[in-house]
Coordinates of all heavy atoms in Angstrom, one line a residue:
S67 N -0.9 -28.8 11.4 CA 0.0 -28.7 12.6 C 1.2 -27.8 12.3 O 2.0 -27.5 13.2 CB 0.5 -30.0 13.0 OG 1.3 -30.6 12.0
A68 N 1.4 -27.3 11.1 CA 2.5 -26.4 10.8 C 2.0 -25.3 9.9 O 1.0 -25.5 9.1 CB 3.6 -27.2 10.0
W69 N 2.5 -24.1 10.0 CA 2.1 -23.0 9.3 C 2.7 -23.0 7.9 O 3.9 -23.4 7.7 CB 2.5 -21.7 10.0 CG 1.7 -21.4 11.2 CD1 2.0 -21.7 12.4 CD2 0.4 -20.8 11.2 NE1 1.0 -21.3 13.3 CE2 0.0 -20.7 12.5 CE3 -0.4 -20.2 10.2 CZ2 -1.2 -20.1 12.9 CZ3 -1.6 -19.7 10.6 CH2 -2.0 -19.6 11.9
K70 N 1.9 -22.6 6.9 CA 2.4 -22.4 5.5 C 2.0 -21.0 5.1 O 1.0 -20.5 5.5 CB 1.7 -23.5 4.6 CG 2.0 -24.9 5.0 CD 1.3 -25.8 4.0 CE 1.5 -27.3 4.4 NZ 2.9 -27.7 4.3
V71 N 2.8 -20.5 4.1 CA 2.5 -19.2 3.5 C 2.4 -19.5 2.0 O 3.2 -20.2 1.4 CB 3.7 -18.2 3.8 CG1 3.5 -16.9 3.1 CG2 3.9 -18.0 5.3
E72 N 1.3 -18.9 1.4 CA 1.1 -19.1 0.0 C 0.9 -17.7 -0.7 O -0.2 -17.2 -0.8 CB -0.2 -19.9 -0.2 CG 0.0 -21.4 0.4 CD -1.2 -22.2 0.2 OE1 -2.3 -21.7 0.0 OE2 -1.1 -23.4 0.3
P73 N 2.1 -17.2 -1.1 CA 2.0 -15.9 -1.9 C 1.1 -16.0 -3.1 O 1.1 -17.1 -3.8 CB 3.4 -15.6 -2.3 CG 4.3 -16.5 -1.4 CD 3.4 -17.7 -1.0
T74 N 0.4 -15.0 -3.4 CA -0.6 -15.0 -4.5 C -0.2 -14.0 -5.6 O -0.9 -13.8 -6.6 CB -2.0 -14.7 -4.1 OG1 -2.0 -13.4 -3.4 CG2 -2.5 -15.8 -3.1
D75 N 1.0 -13.4 -5.5 CA 1.3 -12.3 -6.4 C 2.6 -12.6 -7.2 O 3.2 -11.6 -7.7 CB 1.4 -11.0 -5.7 CG 2.4 -10.9 -4.6 OD1 3.0 -12.0 -4.2 OD2 2.7 -9.8 -4.1
L76 N 3.1 -13.8 -7.3 CA 4.3 -14.1 -8.0 C 4.0 -14.2 -9.5 O 3.3 -15.1 -9.9 CB 4.9 -15.4 -7.5 CG 5.4 -15.3 -6.0 CD1 5.8 -16.7 -5.5 CD2 6.6 -14.3 -5.9
T77 N 4.5 -13.3 -10.3 CA 4.2 -13.3 -11.7 C 5.2 -14.3 -12.4 O 6.1 -14.8 -11.8 CB 4.5 -11.9 -12.3 OG1 5.9 -11.6 -12.3 CG2 3.7 -10.8 -11.6
E78 N 4.9 -14.5 -13.7 CA 5.7 -15.4 -14.5 C 7.2 -14.9 -14.5 O 8.1 -15.7 -14.7 CB 5.1 -15.5 -15.9 CG 5.0 -14.2 -16.6 CD 4.2 -14.3 -17.9 OE1 4.4 -15.3 -18.6 OE2 3.4 -13.4 -18.1
L79 N 7.4 -13.6 -14.4 CA 8.8 -13.1 -14.3 C 9.5 -13.4 -13.0 O 10.7 -13.6 -13.0 CB 8.7 -11.6 -14.5 CG 8.1 -11.1 -15.8 CD1 8.1 -9.5 -15.8 CD2 8.9 -11.6 -17.0
D80 N 8.7 -13.6 -11.9 CA 9.3 -13.9 -10.6 C 9.5 -15.4 -10.5 O 10.5 -15.8 -9.9 CB 8.3 -13.4 -9.5 CG 8.1 -12.0 -9.5 OD1 9.0 -11.2 -9.7 OD2 6.9 -11.6 -9.2
V81 N 8.5 -16.2 -10.9 CA 8.5 -17.6 -10.5 C 9.6 -18.4 -11.2 O 10.1 -19.4 -10.7 CB 7.1 -18.2 -10.8 CG1 6.9 -18.5 -12.3 CG2 6.9 -19.5 -10.0
V82 N 10.2 -17.9 -12.3 CA 11.3 -18.6 -13.0 C 12.5 -18.6 -12.2 O 13.4 -19.5 -12.4 CB 11.5 -18.0 -14.4 CG1 10.4 -18.2 -15.3 CG2 11.9 -16.6 -14.3
D83 N 12.7 -17.8 -11.2 CA 13.8 -17.7 -10.3 C 13.6 -18.4 -9.0 O 14.5 -18.4 -8.1 CB 14.3 -16.3 -10.1 CG 14.7 -15.6 -11.3 OD1 15.4 -16.2 -12.2 OD2 14.4 -14.4 -11.5
I84 N 12.5 -19.1 -8.8 CA 12.2 -19.7 -7.5 C 12.2 -21.2 -7.8 O 11.8 -21.7 -8.8 CB 10.8 -19.3 -7.1 CG1 10.8 -17.8 -6.7 CG2 10.3 -20.1 -5.8 CD1 9.5 -17.2 -6.4
R85 N 12.8 -22.0 -6.8 CA 12.9 -23.4 -6.9 C 12.5 -24.1 -5.6 O 12.6 -23.5 -4.5 CB 14.3 -23.8 -7.3 CG 15.3 -23.5 -6.3 CD 16.7 -23.7 -6.8 NE 17.7 -23.5 -5.7 CZ 18.0 -22.3 -5.2 NH1 17.4 -21.2 -5.6 NH2 18.9 -22.2 -4.2
V86 N 12.0 -25.3 -5.7 CA 11.6 -26.1 -4.5 C 12.9 -26.3 -3.7 O 14.0 -26.6 -4.2 CB 11.0 -27.5 -4.9 CG1 10.9 -28.4 -3.7 CG2 9.7 -27.3 -5.6
G87 N 12.7 -26.1 -2.4 CA 13.9 -26.2 -1.4 C 14.6 -24.9 -1.1 O 15.4 -24.8 -0.3
Q88 N 14.2 -23.8 -1.9 CA 14.8 -22.5 -1.7 C 14.5 -21.9 -0.4 O 13.3 -22.0 0.1 CB 14.4 -21.6 -2.9 CG 15.1 -20.3 -2.9 CD 14.7 -19.5 -4.2 OE1 14.0 -20.0 -5.0 NE2 15.3 -18.4 -4.3
A89 N 15.5 -21.3 0.3 CA 15.2 -20.6 1.5 C 14.4 -19.4 1.4 O 14.5 -18.7 0.3 CB 16.6 -20.3 2.2
V90 N 13.5 -19.1 2.3 CA 12.7 -17.9 2.3 C 12.6 -17.3 3.7 O 12.6 -18.0 4.7 CB 11.2 -18.3 1.9 CG1 10.3 -17.1 1.8 CG2 11.2 -19.1 0.6
T91 N 12.6 -16.0 3.7 CA 12.4 -15.3 5.0 C 11.1 -14.6 4.9 O 10.8 -13.9 3.9 CB 13.5 -14.2 5.2 OG1 14.8 -14.9 5.2 CG2 13.3 -13.5 6.5
V92 N 10.2 -14.8 5.9 CA 8.9 -14.3 5.9 C 8.7 -13.3 7.0 O 9.1 -13.5 8.2 CB 7.8 -15.4 6.1 CG1 6.4 -14.9 6.2 CG2 7.9 -16.4 4.9
T93 N 8.2 -12.1 6.7 CA 7.9 -11.1 7.7 C 6.4 -10.8 7.6 O 5.8 -11.0 6.5 CB 8.7 -9.8 7.5 OG1 8.5 -9.3 6.2 CG2 10.2 -10.1 7.8
L94 N 5.8 -10.2 8.6 CA 4.4 -9.9 8.6 C 4.1 -8.5 9.0 O 4.8 -7.9 9.9 CB 3.6 -10.8 9.6 CG 3.7 -12.3 9.3 CD1 4.7 -13.0 10.1 CD2 2.3 -12.9 9.4
D95 N 3.2 -7.9 8.3 CA 2.8 -6.5 8.6 C 2.3 -6.3 10.1 O 2.7 -5.4 10.8 CB 1.7 -6.0 7.7 CG 2.2 -5.7 6.3 OD1 3.4 -5.7 6.1 OD2 1.3 -5.5 5.4
A96 N 1.6 -7.3 10.6 CA 1.0 -7.2 11.9 C 1.9 -7.5 13.1 O 1.7 -7.1 14.2 CB -0.2 -8.1 12.0
V97 N 3.0 -8.2 12.8 CA 3.9 -8.6 13.8 C 5.3 -8.1 13.4 O 6.1 -8.9 12.9 CB 3.9 -10.1 14.1 CG1 4.7 -10.4 15.4 CG2 2.5 -10.6 14.3
R98 N 5.6 -6.9 13.5 CA 6.8 -6.3 12.9 C 8.1 -6.8 13.4 O 9.1 -6.8 12.7 CB 6.7 -4.8 13.1 CG 5.6 -4.1 12.3 CD 5.6 -2.6 12.5 NE 4.4 -2.1 11.9 CZ 4.3 -1.6 10.7 NH1 5.3 -1.7 9.9 NH2 3.2 -1.1 10.2
D99 N 8.2 -7.3 14.7 CA 9.4 -7.8 15.2 C 9.7 -9.3 14.9 O 10.6 -9.9 15.4 CB 9.5 -7.5 16.7 CG 8.4 -8.3 17.5 OD1 7.3 -8.6 16.9 OD2 8.6 -8.6 18.7
L100 N 8.8 -9.9 14.1 CA 8.9 -11.3 13.9 C 9.5 -11.6 12.5 O 9.0 -11.0 11.5 CB 7.5 -12.0 14.0 CG 7.5 -13.5 13.8 CD1 8.3 -14.2 14.8 CD2 6.0 -13.9 13.8
E101 N 10.5 -12.4 12.4 CA 11.0 -12.9 11.1 C 11.1 -14.4 11.1 O 11.7 -15.0 12.0 CB 12.4 -12.3 10.9 CG 13.0 -12.5 9.6 CD 14.3 -11.7 9.4 OE1 14.2 -10.5 9.1 OE2 15.4 -12.3 9.5
L102 N 10.4 -15.0 10.2 CA 10.4 -16.5 10.2 C 11.1 -17.0 9.0 O 11.1 -16.5 7.9 CB 8.9 -16.9 10.1 CG 8.0 -16.5 11.2 CD1 6.6 -16.7 10.9 CD2 8.4 -17.2 12.5
S103 N 11.8 -18.1 9.2 CA 12.5 -18.8 8.1 C 11.6 -20.0 7.6 O 10.8 -20.5 8.3 CB 13.9 -19.3 8.5 OG 13.7 -20.3 9.5
G104 N 11.8 -20.3 6.3 CA 11.1 -21.4 5.7 C 11.7 -21.8 4.4 O 12.8 -21.3 4.0
R105 N 11.1 -22.7 3.7 CA 11.6 -23.3 2.4 C 10.4 -23.4 1.5 O 9.3 -23.8 1.9 CB 12.3 -24.6 2.6 CG 13.5 -24.5 3.5 CD 14.7 -25.2 2.9 NE 15.9 -24.9 3.7 CZ 16.9 -24.2 3.2 NH1 16.8 -23.6 2.0 NH2 17.9 -23.9 4.0
V106 N 10.6 -23.2 0.2 CA 9.6 -23.5 -0.8 C 9.4 -25.0 -0.9 O 10.3 -25.8 -1.1 CB 10.1 -22.9 -2.2 CG1 9.1 -23.3 -3.2 CG2 10.3 -21.4 -2.1
S107 N 8.2 -25.4 -0.7 CA 7.8 -26.9 -0.8 C 7.1 -27.2 -2.0 O 7.1 -28.4 -2.4 CB 7.0 -27.3 0.5 OG 5.8 -26.6 0.5
Q108 N 6.5 -26.2 -2.7 CA 5.7 -26.6 -3.9 C 5.6 -25.3 -4.8 O 5.4 -24.2 -4.2 CB 4.3 -27.1 -3.5 CG 3.5 -27.5 -4.7 CD 2.1 -28.0 -4.2 OE1 1.8 -28.1 -3.0 NE2 1.3 -28.4 -5.2
I109 N 5.6 -25.5 -6.1 CA 5.3 -24.4 -7.0 C 4.3 -25.0 -8.0 O 4.5 -26.0 -8.7 CB 6.6 -24.1 -7.8 CG1 7.7 -23.6 -6.9 CG2 6.3 -23.0 -8.9 CD1 9.1 -23.5 -7.6
N110 N 3.1 -24.3 -8.0 CA 2.1 -24.7 -8.9 C 2.5 -24.4 -10.3 O 2.9 -23.3 -10.7 CB 0.8 -24.0 -8.6 CG -0.4 -24.5 -9.3 OD1 -0.3 -25.1 -10.4 ND2 -1.6 -24.4 -8.7
G111 N 2.5 -25.4 -11.2 CA 2.9 -25.3 -12.6 C 2.0 -24.6 -13.5 O 2.3 -24.2 -14.6
Q112 N 0.8 -24.3 -13.0 CA -0.2 -23.7 -13.9 C -0.5 -22.3 -13.3 O -1.0 -22.2 -12.1 CB -1.5 -24.5 -13.9 CG -2.5 -23.9 -14.9 CD -3.7 -24.8 -15.1 OE1 -3.7 -26.0 -14.7 NE2 -4.7 -24.3 -15.7
G113 N -0.3 -21.3 -14.1 CA -0.6 -19.9 -13.6 C -2.0 -19.6 -13.8 O -2.8 -20.2 -14.6
I114 N -2.5 -18.5 -13.2 CA -3.8 -18.0 -13.4 C -3.7 -16.5 -13.8 O -2.8 -15.8 -13.4 CB -4.7 -18.2 -12.1 CG1 -4.1 -17.4 -10.9 CG2 -4.9 -19.6 -11.8 CD1 -5.0 -17.4 -9.7
N115 N -4.7 -16.1 -14.6 CA -4.7 -14.7 -15.0 C -5.4 -13.8 -14.0 O -6.6 -14.0 -13.7 CB -5.5 -14.6 -16.4 CG -5.4 -13.3 -17.0 OD1 -5.2 -12.3 -16.4 ND2 -5.5 -13.3 -18.3
Q116 N -4.6 -12.9 -13.4 CA -5.2 -11.9 -12.5 C -5.0 -10.5 -13.0 O -3.9 -10.0 -13.0 CB -4.5 -12.1 -11.1 CG -4.9 -13.3 -10.4 CD -4.3 -13.2 -8.9 OE1 -3.3 -12.7 -8.7 NE2 -5.0 -13.9 -8.0
L117 N -6.0 -10.0 -13.6 CA -6.0 -8.6 -14.1 C -4.9 -8.4 -15.1 O -4.2 -7.4 -15.2 CB -5.9 -7.6 -13.0 CG -7.0 -7.6 -11.9 CD1 -6.6 -6.7 -10.8 CD2 -8.3 -7.3 -12.5
G118 N -4.7 -9.4 -16.0 CA -3.7 -9.3 -17.1 C -2.4 -9.8 -16.7 O -1.5 -10.0 -17.6
D119 N -2.1 -10.1 -15.5 CA -0.8 -10.7 -15.1 C -1.0 -12.2 -14.9 O -2.0 -12.6 -14.3 CB -0.3 -10.1 -13.8 CG 0.4 -8.8 -14.0 OD1 0.9 -8.6 -15.0 OD2 0.4 -8.0 -13.0
I120 N -0.1 -13.0 -15.3 CA -0.1 -14.5 -15.0 C 0.6 -14.7 -13.7 O 1.8 -14.3 -13.6 CB 0.5 -15.3 -16.1 CG1 -0.2 -15.0 -17.5 CG2 0.5 -16.8 -15.8 CD1 -1.7 -15.3 -17.5
T121 N -0.1 -15.2 -12.7 CA 0.6 -15.4 -11.4 C 0.6 -16.9 -11.0 O -0.3 -17.7 -11.5 CB -0.2 -14.6 -10.3 OG1 -1.5 -15.0 -10.2 CG2 -0.1 -13.1 -10.5
Y122 N 1.5 -17.2 -10.1 CA 1.7 -18.6 -9.7 C 1.6 -18.7 -8.2 O 2.2 -17.9 -7.5 CB 3.0 -19.2 -10.3 CG 3.1 -19.3 -11.8 CD1 3.3 -18.1 -12.5 CD2 2.8 -20.5 -12.4 CE1 3.3 -18.2 -13.9 CE2 2.8 -20.5 -13.8 CZ 3.1 -19.4 -14.5 OH 3.1 -19.5 -15.9
Q123 N 1.0 -19.8 -7.8 CA 1.0 -20.1 -6.3 C 2.2 -20.9 -5.9 O 2.5 -21.9 -6.5 CB -0.3 -20.8 -5.9 CG -0.4 -21.0 -4.4 CD -1.7 -21.6 -4.0 OE1 -2.6 -21.7 -4.8 NE2 -1.8 -21.9 -2.8
V124 N 2.8 -20.4 -4.9 CA 4.0 -21.1 -4.3 C 3.6 -21.4 -2.8 O 3.0 -20.6 -2.2 CB 5.2 -20.2 -4.4 CG1 6.4 -20.8 -3.6 CG2 5.6 -20.0 -5.8
T125 N 4.0 -22.6 -2.3 CA 3.8 -22.9 -0.9 C 5.1 -22.9 -0.2 O 6.1 -23.5 -0.7 CB 3.1 -24.3 -0.8 OG1 1.9 -24.3 -1.5 CG2 2.9 -24.7 0.7
I126 N 5.1 -22.2 0.9 CA 6.3 -22.1 1.8 C 6.0 -22.7 3.1 O 5.0 -22.4 3.8 CB 6.7 -20.6 2.0 CG1 7.0 -19.9 0.7 CG2 7.8 -20.5 3.0 CD1 7.0 -18.4 0.7
D127 N 6.8 -23.7 3.5 CA 6.7 -24.3 4.8 C 7.6 -23.6 5.8 O 8.8 -23.4 5.5 CB 7.1 -25.8 4.7 CG 6.2 -26.7 3.9 OD1 5.0 -26.3 3.7 OD2 6.6 -27.7 3.4
L128 N 7.0 -23.1 6.8 CA 7.7 -22.4 7.8 C 8.5 -23.3 8.8 O 7.9 -24.4 9.1 CB 6.8 -21.4 8.7 CG 6.2 -20.3 7.9 CD1 5.2 -19.5 8.8 CD2 7.2 -19.4 7.2
D129 N 9.7 -22.9 9.2 CA 10.5 -23.8 10.1 C 10.0 -23.7 11.5 O 10.3 -24.6 12.3 CB 12.0 -23.4 10.0 CG 12.6 -23.6 8.6 OD1 12.1 -24.6 7.9 OD2 13.5 -22.9 8.3
Q130 N 9.4 -22.6 11.9 CA 8.9 -22.4 13.3 C 7.6 -21.7 13.3 O 7.1 -21.3 12.2 CB 9.9 -21.6 14.1 CG 10.1 -20.2 13.7 CD 11.2 -19.9 12.6 OE1 11.7 -20.8 12.0 NE2 11.5 -18.7 12.5
S131 N 7.0 -21.6 14.4 CA 5.7 -21.0 14.6 C 5.8 -19.8 15.6 O 6.8 -19.6 16.2 CB 4.7 -22.0 15.1 OG 3.4 -21.4 15.1
D132 N 4.7 -19.1 15.8 CA 4.7 -18.1 16.8 C 3.2 -17.9 17.2 O 2.3 -18.0 16.4 CB 5.2 -16.7 16.2 CG 5.3 -15.7 17.2 OD1 4.2 -15.0 17.6 OD2 6.4 -15.4 17.7
E133 N 3.0 -17.8 18.5 CA 1.6 -17.7 19.0 C 0.8 -16.5 18.5 O -0.4 -16.5 18.5 CB 1.6 -17.7 20.5 CG 2.3 -16.5 21.1 CD 2.6 -16.6 22.6 OE1 2.7 -17.7 23.1 OE2 2.7 -15.5 23.2
R134 N 1.5 -15.5 17.9 CA 0.8 -14.3 17.4 C 0.3 -14.5 15.9 O -0.5 -13.7 15.4 CB 1.7 -13.1 17.4 CG 2.1 -12.8 18.9 CD 3.2 -11.8 18.9 NE 4.4 -12.4 18.5 CZ 5.6 -11.7 18.3 NH1 5.6 -10.4 18.6 NH2 6.7 -12.3 17.9
L135 N 0.6 -15.6 15.3 CA 0.2 -15.9 13.9 C -1.3 -16.1 13.9 O -1.9 -16.8 14.7 CB 0.9 -17.0 13.3 CG 2.4 -16.9 13.1 CD1 3.0 -18.2 12.6 CD2 2.7 -15.7 12.2
R136 N -1.9 -15.6 12.8 CA -3.4 -15.8 12.6 C -3.5 -16.1 11.1 O -2.8 -15.6 10.2 CB -4.2 -14.6 13.0 CG -4.1 -14.2 14.4 CD -4.8 -15.2 15.4 NE -4.7 -14.8 16.7 CZ -3.8 -15.1 17.6 NH1 -2.7 -15.8 17.2 NH2 -3.8 -14.7 18.9
W137 N -4.6 -16.8 10.7 CA -4.9 -17.1 9.3 C -5.1 -15.8 8.6 O -5.7 -14.9 9.1 CB -6.2 -18.0 9.2 CG -5.9 -19.4 9.6 CD1 -6.3 -20.0 10.8 CD2 -5.2 -20.4 8.9 NE1 -5.9 -21.3 10.9 CE2 -5.2 -21.6 9.7 CE3 -4.5 -20.4 7.7 CZ2 -4.6 -22.7 9.3 CZ3 -3.9 -21.6 7.3 CH2 -3.9 -22.7 8.1
N138 N -4.7 -15.7 7.3 CA -4.9 -14.6 6.4 C -4.2 -13.3 6.8 O -4.6 -12.3 6.3 CB -6.4 -14.4 6.2 CG -7.1 -15.6 5.6 OD1 -6.5 -16.2 4.6 ND2 -8.3 -15.9 6.1
M139 N -3.2 -13.4 7.6 CA -2.4 -12.2 7.8 C -1.6 -11.9 6.6 O -1.2 -12.8 5.8 CB -1.4 -12.4 9.0 CG -2.1 -12.4 10.3 SD -0.8 -12.5 11.7 CE -1.7 -11.7 13.0
T140 N -1.3 -10.6 6.4 CA -0.5 -10.2 5.2 C 1.0 -10.5 5.6 O 1.5 -10.1 6.6 CB -0.7 -8.7 5.0 OG1 -2.0 -8.4 4.7 CG2 0.2 -8.2 3.8
A141 N 1.6 -11.2 4.6 CA 3.0 -11.6 4.8 C 3.8 -11.2 3.6 O 3.3 -11.1 2.5 CB 3.1 -13.1 5.1
Y142 N 5.1 -11.0 3.8 CA 6.1 -10.7 2.8 C 7.1 -11.8 2.7 O 7.7 -12.1 3.8 CB 6.7 -9.3 3.0 CG 7.8 -9.0 2.0 CD1 7.5 -8.6 0.7 CD2 9.1 -9.1 2.3 CE1 8.5 -8.4 -0.3 CE2 10.1 -8.9 1.4 CZ 9.8 -8.5 0.1 OH 10.8 -8.3 -0.8
A143 N 7.3 -12.3 1.6 CA 8.3 -13.4 1.4 C 9.5 -12.9 0.6 O 9.3 -12.5 -0.5 CB 7.7 -14.6 0.7
A144 N 10.7 -13.1 1.2 CA 11.9 -12.7 0.6 C 12.6 -14.0 0.2 O 13.0 -14.8 1.1 CB 12.8 -11.8 1.4
F145 N 12.8 -14.3 -1.0 CA 13.4 -15.6 -1.5 C 14.9 -15.4 -1.6 O 15.4 -14.5 -2.2 CB 12.8 -15.9 -2.9 CG 11.3 -16.2 -2.8 CD1 10.4 -15.2 -2.9 CD2 10.9 -17.5 -2.6 CE1 9.1 -15.5 -2.9 CE2 9.5 -17.8 -2.5 CZ 8.6 -16.8 -2.7
G146 N 15.6 -16.4 -0.9 CA 17.0 -16.4 -0.9 C 17.6 -16.9 -2.2 O 16.9 -17.4 -3.1
D147 N 18.9 -16.9 -2.3 CA 19.6 -17.4 -3.5 C 19.8 -18.9 -3.5 O 19.9 -19.5 -2.5 CB 21.0 -16.7 -3.7 CG 20.8 -15.2 -3.9 OD1 19.8 -14.8 -4.5 OD2 21.7 -14.4 -3.5

């Protein structure tokens, strides 16, 4: 019933600066005028090897929705301080 964003490209260098509850701004390639706010709800503690980089899955719960959202759209997550 709520949208979630799960970035798949956060390396071990990135994930050390991310924390549960951290504010996130999400934008989408397909809906250029849309900016969504959210918060980190989960950080997977086990990384996976993707072409030599260790990456971690983070789950972002969005604060709102939009009727133009579709599964598997490309999104960009900007993590706040």
Side-chain angles (χ1 to χ4, degrees):
S67 64
W69 286 96
K70 296 181 185 296
V71 175
E72 296 179 343
T74 59
D75 61 349
L76 295 170
T77 69
E78 58 191 316
L79 300 176
D80 300 321
V81 78
V82 295
D83 294 324
I84 296 172
R85 66 190 183 287
V86 171
Q88 187 171 1
V90 183
T91 301
V92 175
T93 55
L94 295 102
D95 287 349
V97 189
R98 294 183 188 267
D99 64 334
L100 182 63
E101 189 172 280
L102 301 167
S103 62
R105 298 225 171 252
V106 175
S107 62
Q108 183 179 1
I109 302 169
N110 190 332
Q112 184 172 350
I114 59 170
N115 189 332
Q116 287 189 331
L117 301 174
D119 282 331
I120 303 301
T121 60
Y122 293 82
Q123 183 175 352
V124 172
T125 302
I126 300 165
D127 293 337
L128 296 179
D129 295 331
Q130 67 270 13
S131 182
D132 187 281
E133 62 192 25
R134 298 171 288 179
L135 294 177
R136 302 289 183 268
W137 289 105
N138 297 318
M139 284 185 156
T140 302
Y142 174 76
F145 295 86
D147 295 329

